[in-house]
């Protein structure tokens, strides 16, 4: 076959983003032209590559096979171009990043600051998700990199690296200061008002399992959409709740919240960076992964599988 290289280039971006509009933006083209090229490629190959629905674009089994080969080829082309152009030029490009509120405050703000100082030409599009939603968006190709908090489960081709470990601590506002006077069992606190993330989050599932393990059913009085809302709720005496110790420490030092000592401790959690190993990575993505992992060279990722 003698298929136009631009057809494969267009297919690469459609496969990467699973979205015709985003692919067109990356190509500097328009949606009708990308759609036309995809139909031409399917006709040339004699098979269907894309499944179109109201929810967006998915690849057929043959589309996934072709994308795996094409993305590998593009990765090699990009690597060759970078080797030929390493003459002191600034790294440029755009990274689409999905992150949780906790990950953002625990580590990502600082790593972004350091990276932008060294690579001012790299642009970011940052979206705030729950861990589950960030992983889903990464898996379907809507974002390039995810930085999330454990616990989570990912498919075989999603690679993860721990960036920071942290502990959750139980805190309260002044109205519940009597709870700080002695160490208690979690079961003693079941009837107090609780503040936590909502039921559609993995953190909620983790907390619910932790409570059941210790003979308590989690019945939150207030569920919030993002983790940064928990401490203000507690400061205003709307309930008690678990928060990452590092995020609570400034308020603990200031005396606006108080630590409740309990016998049962939650497992150590982690902030992790995730990316899809099936997709090629741009030079700016590789540079960012190297920076965020604290390594000069590209990261080596440990794999969690479902």
């Amino acid at each position: 076959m003698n298929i136009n290289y631009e057809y494969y280039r267009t297919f690469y971006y459609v496969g990467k983003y699973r979205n015709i509009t985003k692919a067109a933006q990356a190509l500097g083209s328009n949606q009708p032209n990308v759609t036309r090229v995809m139909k031409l490629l399917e006709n040339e190959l004699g098979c269907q590559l894309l499944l179109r629905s109201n929810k967006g674009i998915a690849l057929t089994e043959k589309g996934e096979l072709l994308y795996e080969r094409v993305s590998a080829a593009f990765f090699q082309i990009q690597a060759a171009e970078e080797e030929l152009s390493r003459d002191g030029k600034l790294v440029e490009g755009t990274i689409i990043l999905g992150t949780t509120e906790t990950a953002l405050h625990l580590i990502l703000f600082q790593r972004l600051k350091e990276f932008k100082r060294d690579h001012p030409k790299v642009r970011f599009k940052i979206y705030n998700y729950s861990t589950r939603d960030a992983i889903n968006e990464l898996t379907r190709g809507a974002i390039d990199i995810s930085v999330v908090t454990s616990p989570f489960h990912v498919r075989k081709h999603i690679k993860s690296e721990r960036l920071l470990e942290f502990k959750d601590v139980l805190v309260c506002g002044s109205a519940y200061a009597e709870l700080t006077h002695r160490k208690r069992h979690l079961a003693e606190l079941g009837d107090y008002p609780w503040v936590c993330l909502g039921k559609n989050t993995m953190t909620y599932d983790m907390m619910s399992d932790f409570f059941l393990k210790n003979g308590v059913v989690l019945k939150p009085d207030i569920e919030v959409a993002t983790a940064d809302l928990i401490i203000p709720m507690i400061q205003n005496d709307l309930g008690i709740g678990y928060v990452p110790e590092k995020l609570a420490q400034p308020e603990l030092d200031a005396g606006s919240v108080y630590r409740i000592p309990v016998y049962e401790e939650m497992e150590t959690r982690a902030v992790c960076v995730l990316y899809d190993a099936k997709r090629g990575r741009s030079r700016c993505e590789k540079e960012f992964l190297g920076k965020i992992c604290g390594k000069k060279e590209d990261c080596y990722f440990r794999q969690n599988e479902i």
Side-chain angles (χ1 to χ4, degrees), residues 63-82:
E64 289 285 3
L65 176 61
L66 180 63
Y67 179 73
E68 185 177 347
R69 301 293 188 183
V70 168
S71 61
F74 267 81
F75 176 76
Q76 294 299 323
I77 291 170
Q78 288 171 346
E81 289 175 344
E82 289 164 16

Side-chain angles (χ1 to χ4, degrees), residues 118-240:
D118 297 335
H119 303 290
K121 292 290 186 178
V122 175
R123 298 175 298 278
F124 285 89
K125 292 182 180 179
I126 301 176
Y127 298 95
N128 185 12
Y129 297 115
S130 67
T131 291
R132 179 180 285 116
D133 289 342
I135 291 173
N136 288 341
E137 293 300 289
L138 177 67
T139 301
R140 76 181 188 89
I143 57 179
D144 300 318
I145 297 169
S146 293
V147 183
V148 299
T149 51
S150 64
F152 57 80
H153 299 284
V154 293
R155 297 186 181 277
K156 183 167 73 170
H157 57 88
I158 302 295
K159 301 298 180 73
S160 70
E161 170 96 348
R162 288 187 171 217
L163 304 178
L164 174 75
E165 293 188 343
F166 65 94
K167 296 283 287 186
D168 290 286
V169 295
L170 182 58
V171 298
C172 66
S174 58
Y176 303 100
E178 77 278 1
L179 297 177
T180 68
H181 297 160
R182 66 176 176 85
K183 202 168 189 177
R184 302 167 189 268
H185 288 286
L186 191 65
E188 299 177 62
L189 303 172
D191 292 332
Y192 282 85
W194 284 84
V195 180
C196 69
L197 285 171
K199 291 186 177 67
N200 61 335
T201 65
M202 290 182 174
T203 297
Y204 181 94
D205 294 342
M206 176 200 67
M207 284 191 60
S208 182
D209 291 343
F210 173 68
F211 273 53
L212 288 174
K213 181 181 176 182
N214 290 286
V216 186
V217 176
L218 176 61
K219 296 179 180 179
D221 286 67
I222 296 178
E223 297 177 32
V224 296
T226 57
D228 64 315
L229 296 176
I230 296 178
I231 290 180
M233 295 288 178
I234 293 171
Q235 287 174 316
N236 284 280
D237 296 321
L238 294 171
I240 63 176

Side-chain angles (χ1 to χ4, degrees), residues 138 144-147 152 154-163 271-279 281 285-295 297-305:
L138 177 67
D144 300 318
I145 297 169
S146 293
V147 183
F152 57 80
V154 293
R155 297 186 181 277
K156 183 167 73 170
H157 57 88
I158 302 295
K159 301 298 180 73
S160 70
E161 170 96 348
R162 288 187 171 217
L163 304 178
V271 178
C272 301
V273 60
L274 312 177
Y275 83 101
D276 189 340
K278 292 200 306 183
R279 299 193 181 104
R281 285 171 286 155
E285 288 172 36
K286 289 187 285 184
E287 290 282 348
F288 180 69
L289 288 170
K291 169 64 75 175
I292 199 172
C293 294
K295 301 171 186 175
E297 307 236 346
D298 200 9
C299 301
Y300 292 91
F301 290 82
R302 290 186 296 275
Q303 184 171 305
N304 295 311
E305 299 184 16

